Structures are given as C-alpha cells and as structure tokens.
mmCIF file of all heavy atoms in Angstrom:
data_model
loop_
_atom_site.group_PDB
_atom_site.id
_atom_site.type_symbol
_atom_site.label_atom_id
_atom_site.label_comp_id
_atom_site.label_asym_id
_atom_site.label_seq_id
_atom_site.Cartn_x
_atom_site.Cartn_y
_atom_site.Cartn_z
ATOM 1 N N LEU A 1 -23.745 51.127 9.577
ATOM 2 C CA LEU A 1 -23.417 52.468 10.153
ATOM 3 C C LEU A 1 -23.005 52.291 11.570
ATOM 4 O O LEU A 1 -23.667 51.529 12.350
ATOM 5 C CB LEU A 1 -24.622 53.396 10.022
ATOM 6 C CG LEU A 1 -25.075 53.836 8.604
ATOM 7 C CD1 LEU A 1 -26.263 54.742 8.742
ATOM 8 C CD2 LEU A 1 -23.961 54.510 7.893
ATOM 9 N N LEU A 2 -21.965 52.998 12.028
ATOM 10 C CA LEU A 2 -21.483 52.883 13.412
ATOM 11 C C LEU A 2 -21.511 54.281 14.071
ATOM 12 O O LEU A 2 -21.258 55.285 13.431
ATOM 13 C CB LEU A 2 -20.044 52.330 13.410
ATOM 14 C CG LEU A 2 -19.807 50.954 12.824
ATOM 15 C CD1 LEU A 2 -18.315 50.617 12.852
ATOM 16 C CD2 LEU A 2 -20.603 49.889 13.621
ATOM 17 N N HIS A 3 -21.803 54.255 15.372
ATOM 18 C CA HIS A 3 -21.672 55.496 16.118
ATOM 19 C C HIS A 3 -20.906 55.157 17.401
ATOM 20 O O HIS A 3 -21.363 54.311 18.225
ATOM 21 C CB HIS A 3 -23.034 56.052 16.494
ATOM 22 C CG HIS A 3 -22.945 57.331 17.339
ATOM 23 N ND1 HIS A 3 -22.487 58.489 16.813
ATOM 24 C CD2 HIS A 3 -23.201 57.523 18.698
ATOM 25 C CE1 HIS A 3 -22.525 59.437 17.807
ATOM 26 N NE2 HIS A 3 -22.899 58.885 18.943
ATOM 27 N N LYS A 4 -19.814 55.858 17.647
ATOM 28 C CA LYS A 4 -19.003 55.619 18.821
ATOM 29 C C LYS A 4 -19.339 56.762 19.814
ATOM 30 O O LYS A 4 -19.016 57.932 19.605
ATOM 31 C CB LYS A 4 -17.503 55.636 18.494
ATOM 32 C CG LYS A 4 -16.641 55.096 19.609
ATOM 33 C CD LYS A 4 -15.183 54.932 19.177
ATOM 34 C CE LYS A 4 -14.314 54.421 20.212
ATOM 35 N NZ LYS A 4 -14.723 53.035 20.767
ATOM 36 N N GLY A 5 -20.053 56.405 20.887
ATOM 37 C CA GLY A 5 -20.465 57.380 21.852
ATOM 38 C C GLY A 5 -19.548 57.501 23.077
ATOM 39 O O GLY A 5 -18.587 56.738 23.176
ATOM 40 N N GLU A 6 -19.870 58.403 23.959
ATOM 41 C CA GLU A 6 -19.080 58.616 25.155
ATOM 42 C C GLU A 6 -19.130 57.412 26.127
ATOM 43 O O GLU A 6 -18.146 57.017 26.713
ATOM 44 C CB GLU A 6 -19.526 59.873 25.880
ATOM 45 C CG GLU A 6 -18.666 60.245 27.098
ATOM 46 C CD GLU A 6 -19.055 61.557 27.712
ATOM 47 O OE1 GLU A 6 -19.943 62.279 27.094
ATOM 48 O OE2 GLU A 6 -18.598 61.860 28.768
ATOM 49 N N HIS A 7 -20.342 56.826 26.202
ATOM 50 C CA HIS A 7 -20.528 55.679 27.119
ATOM 51 C C HIS A 7 -20.933 54.396 26.428
ATOM 52 O O HIS A 7 -20.648 53.291 26.926
ATOM 53 C CB HIS A 7 -21.624 56.032 28.159
ATOM 54 C CG HIS A 7 -21.349 57.283 28.952
ATOM 55 N ND1 HIS A 7 -20.290 57.351 29.838
ATOM 56 C CD2 HIS A 7 -21.916 58.499 28.940
ATOM 57 C CE1 HIS A 7 -20.266 58.567 30.379
ATOM 58 N NE2 HIS A 7 -21.216 59.295 29.848
ATOM 59 N N GLU A 8 -21.636 54.490 25.279
ATOM 60 C CA GLU A 8 -22.074 53.336 24.504
ATOM 61 C C GLU A 8 -21.843 53.523 23.044
ATOM 62 O O GLU A 8 -21.833 54.654 22.560
ATOM 63 C CB GLU A 8 -23.570 53.050 24.795
ATOM 64 C CG GLU A 8 -23.901 52.625 26.170
ATOM 65 C CD GLU A 8 -25.380 52.357 26.312
ATOM 66 O OE1 GLU A 8 -26.187 53.066 25.700
ATOM 67 O OE2 GLU A 8 -25.719 51.367 27.049
ATOM 68 N N ASN A 9 -21.685 52.402 22.331
ATOM 69 C CA ASN A 9 -21.578 52.442 20.879
ATOM 70 C C ASN A 9 -22.796 51.750 20.255
ATOM 71 O O ASN A 9 -23.229 50.744 20.771
ATOM 72 C CB ASN A 9 -20.291 51.697 20.444
ATOM 73 C CG ASN A 9 -19.024 52.249 21.107
ATOM 74 O OD1 ASN A 9 -18.937 53.441 21.355
ATOM 75 N ND2 ASN A 9 -18.126 51.349 21.451
ATOM 76 N N HIS A 10 -23.247 52.304 19.165
ATOM 77 C CA HIS A 10 -24.451 51.754 18.498
ATOM 78 C C HIS A 10 -24.190 51.501 17.052
ATOM 79 O O HIS A 10 -23.313 52.134 16.432
ATOM 80 C CB HIS A 10 -25.622 52.672 18.680
ATOM 81 C CG HIS A 10 -26.128 52.867 20.087
ATOM 82 N ND1 HIS A 10 -25.492 53.691 20.991
ATOM 83 C CD2 HIS A 10 -27.157 52.249 20.731
ATOM 84 C CE1 HIS A 10 -26.148 53.610 22.141
ATOM 85 N NE2 HIS A 10 -27.122 52.763 22.006
ATOM 86 N N PHE A 11 -24.957 50.541 16.500
ATOM 87 C CA PHE A 11 -24.820 50.266 15.051
ATOM 88 C C PHE A 11 -26.204 50.158 14.429
ATOM 89 O O PHE A 11 -27.216 49.817 15.092
ATOM 90 C CB PHE A 11 -24.011 48.969 14.814
ATOM 91 C CG PHE A 11 -24.718 47.696 15.212
ATOM 92 C CD1 PHE A 11 -25.604 47.060 14.260
ATOM 93 C CD2 PHE A 11 -24.523 47.101 16.442
ATOM 94 C CE1 PHE A 11 -26.251 45.878 14.655
ATOM 95 C CE2 PHE A 11 -25.129 45.927 16.785
ATOM 96 C CZ PHE A 11 -25.996 45.300 15.895
ATOM 97 N N LEU A 12 -26.304 50.407 13.144
ATOM 98 C CA LEU A 12 -27.474 50.145 12.348
ATOM 99 C C LEU A 12 -27.078 49.420 11.127
ATOM 100 O O LEU A 12 -26.287 49.883 10.286
ATOM 101 C CB LEU A 12 -28.145 51.506 11.951
ATOM 102 C CG LEU A 12 -29.403 51.378 10.991
ATOM 103 C CD1 LEU A 12 -30.602 50.747 11.750
ATOM 104 C CD2 LEU A 12 -29.801 52.790 10.478
ATOM 105 N N LEU A 13 -27.551 48.206 10.959
ATOM 106 C CA LEU A 13 -27.188 47.300 9.853
ATOM 107 C C LEU A 13 -28.375 47.034 8.971
ATOM 108 O O LEU A 13 -29.439 46.688 9.406
ATOM 109 C CB LEU A 13 -26.661 45.972 10.458
ATOM 110 C CG LEU A 13 -26.348 44.842 9.376
ATOM 111 C CD1 LEU A 13 -25.226 45.322 8.477
ATOM 112 C CD2 LEU A 13 -25.974 43.577 10.142
ATOM 113 N N GLN A 14 -28.148 47.242 7.682
ATOM 114 C CA GLN A 14 -29.150 46.922 6.643
ATOM 115 C C GLN A 14 -28.554 45.934 5.680
ATOM 116 O O GLN A 14 -27.562 46.221 4.998
ATOM 117 C CB GLN A 14 -29.641 48.175 5.952
ATOM 118 C CG GLN A 14 -30.311 49.172 6.897
ATOM 119 C CD GLN A 14 -31.007 50.290 6.193
ATOM 120 O OE1 GLN A 14 -32.172 50.192 5.774
ATOM 121 N NE2 GLN A 14 -30.298 51.418 6.056
ATOM 122 N N VAL A 15 -29.215 44.757 5.572
ATOM 123 C CA VAL A 15 -28.647 43.642 4.755
ATOM 124 C C VAL A 15 -29.709 43.376 3.638
ATOM 125 O O VAL A 15 -30.848 43.100 3.940
ATOM 126 C CB VAL A 15 -28.390 42.402 5.555
ATOM 127 C CG1 VAL A 15 -27.878 41.253 4.707
ATOM 128 C CG2 VAL A 15 -27.347 42.727 6.644
ATOM 129 N N GLU A 16 -29.255 43.390 2.406
ATOM 130 C CA GLU A 16 -30.162 43.029 1.278
ATOM 131 C C GLU A 16 -30.427 41.555 1.296
ATOM 132 O O GLU A 16 -29.487 40.766 1.338
ATOM 133 C CB GLU A 16 -29.506 43.427 -0.064
ATOM 134 C CG GLU A 16 -30.504 43.341 -1.227
ATOM 135 C CD GLU A 16 -29.929 43.963 -2.482
ATOM 136 O OE1 GLU A 16 -28.770 44.392 -2.486
ATOM 137 O OE2 GLU A 16 -30.688 43.995 -3.484
ATOM 138 N N PRO A 17 -31.696 41.146 1.295
ATOM 139 C CA PRO A 17 -31.985 39.722 1.334
ATOM 140 C C PRO A 17 -31.743 39.051 -0.006
ATOM 141 O O PRO A 17 -31.538 39.711 -1.003
ATOM 142 C CB PRO A 17 -33.497 39.711 1.704
ATOM 143 C CG PRO A 17 -34.009 40.958 1.073
ATOM 144 C CD PRO A 17 -32.872 41.971 1.223
ATOM 145 N N PRO A 18 -31.833 37.725 -0.043
ATOM 146 C CA PRO A 18 -31.690 37.046 -1.353
ATOM 147 C C PRO A 18 -32.865 37.306 -2.230
ATOM 148 O O PRO A 18 -33.900 37.758 -1.703
ATOM 149 C CB PRO A 18 -31.628 35.542 -0.940
ATOM 150 C CG PRO A 18 -32.319 35.498 0.395
ATOM 151 C CD PRO A 18 -31.957 36.813 1.085
ATOM 152 N N LYS A 19 -32.710 37.126 -3.561
ATOM 153 C CA LYS A 19 -33.817 37.322 -4.424
ATOM 154 C C LYS A 19 -34.904 36.370 -4.165
ATOM 155 O O LYS A 19 -34.739 35.233 -3.739
ATOM 156 C CB LYS A 19 -33.331 37.176 -5.864
ATOM 157 C CG LYS A 19 -32.314 38.175 -6.315
ATOM 158 C CD LYS A 19 -32.842 39.629 -6.272
ATOM 159 C CE LYS A 19 -31.738 40.555 -6.718
ATOM 160 N NZ LYS A 19 -32.276 41.990 -6.593
ATOM 161 N N ARG A 20 -36.164 36.868 -4.367
ATOM 162 C CA ARG A 20 -37.333 36.017 -4.120
ATOM 163 C C ARG A 20 -37.362 34.839 -5.122
ATOM 164 O O ARG A 20 -37.149 35.049 -6.352
ATOM 165 C CB ARG A 20 -38.628 36.783 -4.279
ATOM 166 C CG ARG A 20 -39.889 35.959 -3.961
ATOM 167 C CD ARG A 20 -41.116 36.802 -4.161
ATOM 168 N NE ARG A 20 -41.165 37.957 -3.269
ATOM 169 C CZ ARG A 20 -41.509 37.877 -1.995
ATOM 170 N NH1 ARG A 20 -41.810 36.713 -1.437
ATOM 171 N NH2 ARG A 20 -41.546 38.951 -1.225
ATOM 172 N N VAL A 21 -37.579 33.637 -4.631
ATOM 173 C CA VAL A 21 -37.692 32.444 -5.429
ATOM 174 C C VAL A 21 -39.108 31.870 -5.228
ATOM 175 O O VAL A 21 -39.487 31.508 -4.155
ATOM 176 C CB VAL A 21 -36.647 31.373 -5.054
ATOM 177 C CG1 VAL A 21 -36.826 30.141 -5.909
ATOM 178 C CG2 VAL A 21 -35.244 31.975 -5.261
ATOM 179 N N THR A 22 -39.879 31.868 -6.318
ATOM 180 C CA THR A 22 -41.262 31.329 -6.206
ATOM 181 C C THR A 22 -41.252 29.868 -6.584
ATOM 182 O O THR A 22 -40.985 29.501 -7.708
ATOM 183 C CB THR A 22 -42.211 32.127 -7.128
ATOM 184 O OG1 THR A 22 -42.112 33.467 -6.824
ATOM 185 C CG2 THR A 22 -43.623 31.604 -6.952
ATOM 186 N N PRO A 23 -41.574 28.965 -5.651
ATOM 187 C CA PRO A 23 -41.569 27.557 -5.947
ATOM 188 C C PRO A 23 -42.672 27.187 -6.867
ATOM 189 O O PRO A 23 -43.714 27.818 -6.888
ATOM 190 C CB PRO A 23 -41.721 26.890 -4.549
ATOM 191 C CG PRO A 23 -42.428 27.921 -3.743
ATOM 192 C CD PRO A 23 -41.922 29.257 -4.229
ATOM 193 N N ASP A 24 -42.493 26.110 -7.664
ATOM 194 C CA ASP A 24 -43.516 25.661 -8.594
ATOM 195 C C ASP A 24 -44.697 25.089 -7.804
ATOM 196 O O ASP A 24 -45.871 25.175 -8.212
ATOM 197 C CB ASP A 24 -42.968 24.588 -9.515
ATOM 198 C CG ASP A 24 -41.934 25.146 -10.422
ATOM 199 O OD1 ASP A 24 -42.046 26.379 -10.761
ATOM 200 O OD2 ASP A 24 -40.993 24.423 -10.797
ATOM 201 N N LEU A 25 -44.434 24.405 -6.664
ATOM 202 C CA LEU A 25 -45.508 23.799 -5.862
ATOM 203 C C LEU A 25 -45.673 24.580 -4.601
ATOM 204 O O LEU A 25 -44.844 24.526 -3.688
ATOM 205 C CB LEU A 25 -45.091 22.325 -5.579
ATOM 206 C CG LEU A 25 -44.956 21.397 -6.756
ATOM 207 C CD1 LEU A 25 -44.523 20.008 -6.317
ATOM 208 C CD2 LEU A 25 -46.265 21.301 -7.560
ATOM 209 N N ILE A 26 -46.852 25.248 -4.499
ATOM 210 C CA ILE A 26 -47.152 26.013 -3.312
ATOM 211 C C ILE A 26 -48.330 25.230 -2.662
ATOM 212 O O ILE A 26 -49.316 24.916 -3.315
ATOM 213 C CB ILE A 26 -47.653 27.480 -3.654
ATOM 214 C CG1 ILE A 26 -46.504 28.191 -4.375
ATOM 215 C CG2 ILE A 26 -48.073 28.184 -2.413
ATOM 216 C CD1 ILE A 26 -46.919 29.568 -4.838
ATOM 217 N N PRO A 27 -48.195 24.890 -1.383
ATOM 218 C CA PRO A 27 -49.255 24.133 -0.740
ATOM 219 C C PRO A 27 -50.599 24.859 -0.720
ATOM 220 O O PRO A 27 -50.548 26.146 -0.730
ATOM 221 C CB PRO A 27 -48.718 23.903 0.675
ATOM 222 C CG PRO A 27 -47.732 24.997 0.847
ATOM 223 C CD PRO A 27 -47.117 25.216 -0.459
ATOM 224 N N PRO A 28 -51.713 24.172 -0.764
ATOM 225 C CA PRO A 28 -52.994 24.855 -0.753
ATOM 226 C C PRO A 28 -53.152 25.738 0.538
ATOM 227 O O PRO A 28 -52.709 25.365 1.573
ATOM 228 C CB PRO A 28 -54.006 23.759 -0.774
ATOM 229 C CG PRO A 28 -53.281 22.518 -0.334
ATOM 230 C CD PRO A 28 -51.858 22.727 -0.757
ATOM 231 N N ARG A 29 -53.776 26.866 0.322
ATOM 232 C CA ARG A 29 -53.930 27.825 1.445
ATOM 233 C C ARG A 29 -55.385 28.123 1.671
ATOM 234 O O ARG A 29 -56.246 27.975 0.763
ATOM 235 C CB ARG A 29 -53.168 29.087 1.133
ATOM 236 C CG ARG A 29 -51.660 28.950 1.116
ATOM 237 C CD ARG A 29 -50.973 30.255 0.698
ATOM 238 N NE ARG A 29 -49.487 30.126 0.662
ATOM 239 C CZ ARG A 29 -48.758 30.406 1.738
ATOM 240 N NH1 ARG A 29 -49.248 30.884 2.890
ATOM 241 N NH2 ARG A 29 -47.468 30.275 1.626
ATOM 242 N N ASP A 30 -55.649 28.590 2.910
ATOM 243 C CA ASP A 30 -57.011 29.026 3.279
ATOM 244 C C ASP A 30 -56.927 30.489 3.656
ATOM 245 O O ASP A 30 -56.048 30.878 4.482
ATOM 246 C CB ASP A 30 -57.563 28.204 4.423
ATOM 247 C CG ASP A 30 -58.910 28.683 4.898
ATOM 248 O OD1 ASP A 30 -59.852 28.727 4.027
ATOM 249 O OD2 ASP A 30 -59.020 29.070 6.054
ATOM 250 N N TYR A 31 -57.752 31.327 3.147
ATOM 251 C CA TYR A 31 -57.771 32.787 3.340
ATOM 252 C C TYR A 31 -59.059 33.223 4.014
ATOM 253 O O TYR A 31 -60.130 32.795 3.548
ATOM 254 C CB TYR A 31 -57.560 33.573 2.065
ATOM 255 C CG TYR A 31 -56.248 33.288 1.344
ATOM 256 C CD1 TYR A 31 -56.177 32.331 0.423
ATOM 257 C CD2 TYR A 31 -55.143 34.085 1.652
ATOM 258 C CE1 TYR A 31 -54.933 32.059 -0.219
ATOM 259 C CE2 TYR A 31 -53.963 33.851 1.044
ATOM 260 C CZ TYR A 31 -53.823 32.845 0.084
ATOM 261 O OH TYR A 31 -52.630 32.581 -0.533
ATOM 262 N N VAL A 32 -58.975 34.018 5.067
ATOM 263 C CA VAL A 32 -60.169 34.640 5.648
ATOM 264 C C VAL A 32 -59.969 36.159 5.511
ATOM 265 O O VAL A 32 -59.071 36.717 6.099
ATOM 266 C CB VAL A 32 -60.387 34.270 7.107
ATOM 267 C CG1 VAL A 32 -61.614 34.905 7.662
ATOM 268 C CG2 VAL A 32 -60.460 32.730 7.289
ATOM 269 N N PHE A 33 -60.821 36.769 4.670
ATOM 270 C CA PHE A 33 -60.755 38.218 4.458
ATOM 271 C C PHE A 33 -61.691 38.874 5.425
ATOM 272 O O PHE A 33 -62.887 38.520 5.501
ATOM 273 C CB PHE A 33 -61.143 38.536 3.038
ATOM 274 C CG PHE A 33 -60.228 37.909 2.006
ATOM 275 C CD1 PHE A 33 -60.581 36.708 1.297
ATOM 276 C CD2 PHE A 33 -59.029 38.434 1.659
ATOM 277 C CE1 PHE A 33 -59.755 36.115 0.398
ATOM 278 C CE2 PHE A 33 -58.138 37.859 0.718
ATOM 279 C CZ PHE A 33 -58.535 36.713 0.091
ATOM 280 N N VAL A 34 -61.157 39.820 6.192
ATOM 281 C CA VAL A 34 -61.937 40.537 7.184
ATOM 282 C C VAL A 34 -62.141 42.016 6.768
ATOM 283 O O VAL A 34 -61.129 42.741 6.658
ATOM 284 C CB VAL A 34 -61.226 40.496 8.539
ATOM 285 C CG1 VAL A 34 -62.081 41.200 9.617
ATOM 286 C CG2 VAL A 34 -61.004 39.048 8.978
ATOM 287 N N LEU A 35 -63.351 42.399 6.435
ATOM 288 C CA LEU A 35 -63.581 43.696 5.810
ATOM 289 C C LEU A 35 -64.325 44.642 6.743
ATOM 290 O O LEU A 35 -65.378 44.324 7.260
ATOM 291 C CB LEU A 35 -64.425 43.496 4.543
ATOM 292 C CG LEU A 35 -64.894 44.741 3.802
ATOM 293 C CD1 LEU A 35 -63.718 45.559 3.296
ATOM 294 C CD2 LEU A 35 -65.834 44.397 2.626
ATOM 295 N N ASP A 36 -63.773 45.796 7.008
ATOM 296 C CA ASP A 36 -64.355 46.846 7.828
ATOM 297 C C ASP A 36 -65.407 47.634 7.025
ATOM 298 O O ASP A 36 -65.130 48.193 5.994
ATOM 299 C CB ASP A 36 -63.252 47.811 8.261
ATOM 300 C CG ASP A 36 -63.712 48.935 9.192
ATOM 301 O OD1 ASP A 36 -64.926 49.087 9.440
ATOM 302 O OD2 ASP A 36 -62.848 49.721 9.677
ATOM 303 N N ILE A 37 -66.677 47.633 7.525
ATOM 304 C CA ILE A 37 -67.754 48.357 6.875
ATOM 305 C C ILE A 37 -68.356 49.390 7.862
ATOM 306 O O ILE A 37 -69.533 49.701 7.745
ATOM 307 C CB ILE A 37 -68.826 47.429 6.331
ATOM 308 C CG1 ILE A 37 -69.425 46.547 7.422
ATOM 309 C CG2 ILE A 37 -68.294 46.569 5.197
ATOM 310 C CD1 ILE A 37 -70.691 45.840 7.026
ATOM 311 N N SER A 38 -67.555 49.874 8.800
ATOM 312 C CA SER A 38 -68.003 50.810 9.813
ATOM 313 C C SER A 38 -68.227 52.194 9.165
ATOM 314 O O SER A 38 -67.920 52.412 7.975
ATOM 315 C CB SER A 38 -66.998 50.953 10.936
ATOM 316 O OG SER A 38 -65.785 51.441 10.445
#
C-alpha cells in the first residue's frame, strides 16, 4: 500500500513468508517454564 503525502510518502508492505518446513532432525532443547501463581 502506498500513500503520497504533501511532504512525505509512506508505504505498508505485507509479504507472505515461505511455507513452514519442519526438519527431521531438531537439535535437543532446554525449556524453562515460568508460571505466575500470584
């Protein structure tokens, strides 16, 4: 989308990303879950 203004021109661009590809080998991960009990 384009906007031509009196002093400045602006744009808004939205680009669809590539499809998600899930690799067969995912390196081991460590997760720390932080839970609010207030």
Side-chain angles (χ1 to χ4, degrees):
L1 294 179
L2 300 175
H3 178 72
K4 193 170 181 63
E6 185 177 350
H7 303 292
E8 292 182 322
N9 306 323
H10 293 81
F11 72 85
L12 176 67
L13 173 63
Q14 299 190 84
V15 178
E16 188 171 6
K19 297 297 182 183
R20 183 182 299 281
V21 178
T22 304
D24 295 330
L25 297 176
I26 300 175
R29 293 176 178 267
D30 177 59
Y31 297 90
V32 180
F33 299 99
V34 182
L35 175 63
D36 182 354
I37 58 169
S38 62

